[in-house]
Amino acid sequence: YVGESVQPEVRYQQHCNGGRSDDDRLVYEAIRQMNDTGVEWTMFILCEYGEEGPTDLEDEYILETLAAGYALTNMKKGNARWMEHKLAEVAEMKSLKLTPREYRKLKLKRELMVAESVISPDEIAATAKATGRRKENPAITKLRTRVAKWDIARIKAKMETMEATRYNYSDLA
């Protein structure tokens, strides 16, 4: 299991307590199995965050751990199928011969292209045409532009944070 927390000691206790409950999340099922068979487990910190707080490093560590061949019990908001998506990302990352960081950059560039295309005049005209209008409703165009600009700013901020954050995958060894 790879996770992030701003309070690792508290999170560790939550995992210890969750291992004794009937919580059906995979991580707690794995903890209960280890407890039942006498396997001792612990949590260790791979990376500490600075004042910028948590970033998307968790995703990079997940990709790196999966690429190294480890099975993980991670779920996203209780969604076990989320891991299938992560495994598909690892397969694409490997096929492109990218590191997790390079792959994350690629994903952000893709997100940015989509966000920027939403406010392109061609896309706005295509949307209007698809709805049988000559022009898109100005209120919708304004809302679309506002949301897209917010999304573009969010993606660019993630890119900047990623460039400022350094860590070492050898911590996984």
Side-chain angles (χ1 to χ4, degrees):
Y1 175 82
V2 174
E4 71 180 6
S5 176
V6 293
Q7 297 178 304
E9 298 81 14
V10 172
R11 190 69 180 124
Y12 177 72
Q13 278 306 308
Q14 289 171 335
H15 282 314
C16 289
N17 296 336
R20 292 189 287 273
S21 72
D22 61 351
D23 193 313
D24 65 350
R25 285 178 282 181
L26 294 177
V27 65
Y28 295 124
E29 287 179 20
I31 289 171
R32 282 193 296 277
Q33 285 178 355
M34 288 186 284
N35 290 343
D36 292 346
T37 58
V39 173
E40 289 187 36
W41 63 275
T42 189
M43 181 180 88
F44 56 96
I45 297 172
L46 293 174
C47 175
E48 291 191 22
Y49 298 104
E51 289 184 17
E52 79 279 0
T55 64
D56 291 338
L57 287 178
E58 177 188 25
D59 193 50
E60 286 182 46
Y61 275 113
I62 288 170
L63 292 175
E64 180 65 23
T65 304
L66 291 170
Y70 294 101
L72 292 175
T73 57
N74 285 65
M75 296 169 73
K76 191 71 164 189
K77 297 185 177 152
N79 179 358
R81 294 189 56 100
W82 173 81
M83 185 55 68
E84 292 173 21
H85 175 71
K86 286 291 154 203
L87 291 170
E89 285 186 346
V90 168
E92 181 183 30
M93 181 181 82
K94 284 182 170 183
S95 73
L96 296 172
K97 297 178 175 39
L98 298 175
T99 67
R101 178 160 293 238
E102 292 166 338
Y103 185 72
R104 195 165 123 224
K105 284 181 182 179
L106 174 66
K107 284 175 35 179
L108 286 171
K109 286 179 186 174
R110 288 174 177 168
E111 282 184 49
L112 188 59
M113 284 174 42
V114 168
E116 289 173 340
S117 74
V118 167
I119 58 175
S120 76
D122 291 340
E123 178 64 23
I124 292 170
T127 302
K129 185 176 181 180
T131 59
R133 299 181 176 171
R134 287 187 306 134
K135 283 178 60 179
E136 183 176 63
N137 179 324
I140 291 173
T141 302
K142 185 176 180 180
L143 178 63
R144 173 205 297 248
T145 302
R146 183 179 302 158
V147 169
K149 284 183 178 178
W150 175 85
D151 211 25
I152 289 166
R154 178 190 59 82
I155 294 165
K156 286 182 176 179
K158 278 186 168 188
M159 290 173 149
E160 288 172 16
T161 301
M162 184 174 65
E163 288 303 318
T165 309
R166 301 283 177 234
Y167 65 99
N168 187 350
Y169 287 128
S170 63
D171 293 338
L172 296 173

